[in-house]
PDB file of all heavy atoms in Angstrom:
ATOM      1  N   HIS A 130     106.028 105.715 105.895  1.00  0.00           N
ATOM      2  CA  HIS A 130     104.603 105.869 105.602  1.00  0.00           C
ATOM      3  C   HIS A 130     103.755 105.064 106.562  1.00  0.00           C
ATOM      4  O   HIS A 130     104.118 103.966 106.983  1.00  0.00           O
ATOM      5  CB  HIS A 130     104.224 105.614 104.179  1.00  0.00           C
ATOM      6  CG  HIS A 130     104.392 104.152 103.688  1.00  0.00           C
ATOM      7  ND1 HIS A 130     103.317 103.273 103.735  1.00  0.00           N
ATOM      8  CD2 HIS A 130     105.421 103.500 103.149  1.00  0.00           C
ATOM      9  CE1 HIS A 130     103.735 102.143 103.259  1.00  0.00           C
ATOM     10  NE2 HIS A 130     104.993 102.218 102.941  1.00  0.00           N
ATOM     11  N   PRO A 134      98.299  98.356 102.787  1.00  0.00           N
ATOM     12  CA  PRO A 134      97.259  97.840 101.953  1.00  0.00           C
ATOM     13  C   PRO A 134      96.057  97.326 102.732  1.00  0.00           C
ATOM     14  O   PRO A 134      96.243  96.799 103.820  1.00  0.00           O
ATOM     15  CB  PRO A 134      97.970  96.623 101.231  1.00  0.00           C
ATOM     16  CG  PRO A 134      99.406  96.954 101.338  1.00  0.00           C
ATOM     17  CD  PRO A 134      99.576  97.699 102.635  1.00  0.00           C
ATOM     18  N   GLY A 158      95.874 100.188  97.645  1.00  0.00           N
ATOM     19  CA  GLY A 158      97.313  99.921  97.705  1.00  0.00           C
ATOM     20  C   GLY A 158      97.757  98.464  97.466  1.00  0.00           C
ATOM     21  O   GLY A 158      98.449  97.896  98.318  1.00  0.00           O
ATOM     22  N   ASP A 290     104.599  96.855 106.764  1.00  0.00           N
ATOM     23  CA  ASP A 290     104.814  97.829 105.635  1.00  0.00           C
ATOM     24  C   ASP A 290     103.861  99.005 105.888  1.00  0.00           C
ATOM     25  O   ASP A 290     102.701  98.887 105.505  1.00  0.00           O
ATOM     26  CB  ASP A 290     104.632  97.143 104.298  1.00  0.00           C
ATOM     27  CG  ASP A 290     104.771  98.120 103.132  1.00  0.00           C
ATOM     28  OD1 ASP A 290     105.194  99.253 103.297  1.00  0.00           O
ATOM     29  OD2 ASP A 290     104.474  97.663 102.012  1.00  0.00           O
ATOM     30  N   GLU A 320     101.285 106.394 100.739  1.00  0.00           N
ATOM     31  CA  GLU A 320     102.401 105.883  99.930  1.00  0.00           C
ATOM     32  C   GLU A 320     101.923 104.745  99.065  1.00  0.00           C
ATOM     33  O   GLU A 320     102.395 104.610  97.937  1.00  0.00           O
ATOM     34  CB  GLU A 320     103.521 105.326 100.829  1.00  0.00           C
ATOM     35  CG  GLU A 320     104.791 104.960 100.130  1.00  0.00           C
ATOM     36  CD  GLU A 320     104.819 103.537  99.541  1.00  0.00           C
ATOM     37  OE1 GLU A 320     103.969 102.690  99.917  1.00  0.00           O
ATOM     38  OE2 GLU A 320     105.682 103.270  98.686  1.00  0.00           O
ATOM     39  N   GLU A 321     101.007 103.956  99.554  1.00  0.00           N
ATOM     40  CA  GLU A 321     100.578 102.811  98.756  1.00  0.00           C
ATOM     41  C   GLU A 321      99.788 103.180  97.537  1.00  0.00           C
ATOM     42  O   GLU A 321      99.438 102.309  96.738  1.00  0.00           O
ATOM     43  CB  GLU A 321      99.756 101.825  99.683  1.00  0.00           C
ATOM     44  CG  GLU A 321     100.552 101.258 100.876  1.00  0.00           C
ATOM     45  CD  GLU A 321     101.688 100.315 100.491  1.00  0.00           C
ATOM     46  OE1 GLU A 321     101.876 100.004  99.272  1.00  0.00           O
ATOM     47  OE2 GLU A 321     102.413  99.841 101.375  1.00  0.00           O
ATOM     48  N   ASP A 363     111.545 102.501 104.157  1.00  0.00           N
ATOM     49  CA  ASP A 363     110.417 101.686 103.735  1.00  0.00           C
ATOM     50  C   ASP A 363     110.903 100.250 103.679  1.00  0.00           C
ATOM     51  O   ASP A 363     112.109  99.987 103.525  1.00  0.00           O
ATOM     52  CB  ASP A 363     109.878 102.155 102.355  1.00  0.00           C
ATOM     53  CG  ASP A 363     108.437 101.689 102.146  1.00  0.00           C
ATOM     54  OD1 ASP A 363     107.926 100.879 102.942  1.00  0.00           O
ATOM     55  OD2 ASP A 363     107.829 102.137 101.177  1.00  0.00           O
ATOM     56  N   VAL A 364     109.975  99.282 103.793  1.00  0.00           N
ATOM     57  CA  VAL A 364     110.385  97.921 103.795  1.00  0.00           C
ATOM     58  C   VAL A 364     110.931  97.447 102.454  1.00  0.00           C
ATOM     59  O   VAL A 364     110.657  98.030 101.407  1.00  0.00           O
ATOM     60  CB  VAL A 364     109.177  97.043 104.251  1.00  0.00           C
ATOM     61  CG1 VAL A 364     108.787  97.373 105.658  1.00  0.00           C
ATOM     62  CG2 VAL A 364     108.038  97.172 103.261  1.00  0.00           C
ATOM     63  N   MET A 462     105.452  90.399 101.776  1.00  0.00           N
ATOM     64  CA  MET A 462     105.022  91.814 101.801  1.00  0.00           C
ATOM     65  C   MET A 462     103.665  91.994 101.131  1.00  0.00           C
ATOM     66  O   MET A 462     103.381  91.396 100.156  1.00  0.00           O
ATOM     67  CB  MET A 462     106.058  92.688 101.032  1.00  0.00           C
ATOM     68  CG  MET A 462     105.900  94.182 101.258  1.00  0.00           C
ATOM     69  SD  MET A 462     106.901  95.096 100.104  1.00  0.00           S
ATOM     70  CE  MET A 462     108.560  94.680 100.579  1.00  0.00           C
ATOM     71  N   HIS A 463     102.840  92.848 101.771  1.00  0.00           N
ATOM     72  CA  HIS A 463     101.505  93.179 101.303  1.00  0.00           C
ATOM     73  C   HIS A 463     100.464  92.132 101.626  1.00  0.00           C
ATOM     74  O   HIS A 463      99.259  92.327 101.347  1.00  0.00           O
ATOM     75  CB  HIS A 463     101.412  93.577  99.852  1.00  0.00           C
ATOM     76  CG  HIS A 463     101.797  95.008  99.631  1.00  0.00           C
ATOM     77  ND1 HIS A 463     101.248  95.832  98.650  1.00  0.00           N
ATOM     78  CD2 HIS A 463     102.675  95.800 100.275  1.00  0.00           C
ATOM     79  CE1 HIS A 463     101.801  96.989  98.711  1.00  0.00           C
ATOM     80  NE2 HIS A 463     102.664  96.997  99.708  1.00  0.00           N
ATOM     81  N   GLU A 467     102.313  89.933 107.428  1.00  0.00           N
ATOM     82  CA  GLU A 467     103.625  90.020 106.881  1.00  0.00           C
ATOM     83  C   GLU A 467     104.642  89.537 107.988  1.00  0.00           C
ATOM     84  O   GLU A 467     104.281  89.696 109.176  1.00  0.00           O
ATOM     85  CB  GLU A 467     103.992  91.414 106.485  1.00  0.00           C
ATOM     86  CG  GLU A 467     102.999  92.018 105.492  1.00  0.00           C
ATOM     87  CD  GLU A 467     103.218  93.527 105.253  1.00  0.00           C
ATOM     88  OE1 GLU A 467     103.342  94.238 106.264  1.00  0.00           O
ATOM     89  OE2 GLU A 467     103.247  93.946 104.090  1.00  0.00           O
TER      90      GLU A 467
HETATM   91 MN1   MN B 530     103.815  98.695 100.313  1.00  0.00          MN
END
Side-chain angles (χ1 to χ4, degrees):
H130 68 93
D290 178 7
E320 188 276 343
E321 299 292 358
D363 201 351
V364 295
M462 192 192 294
H463 278 213
E467 304 171 312

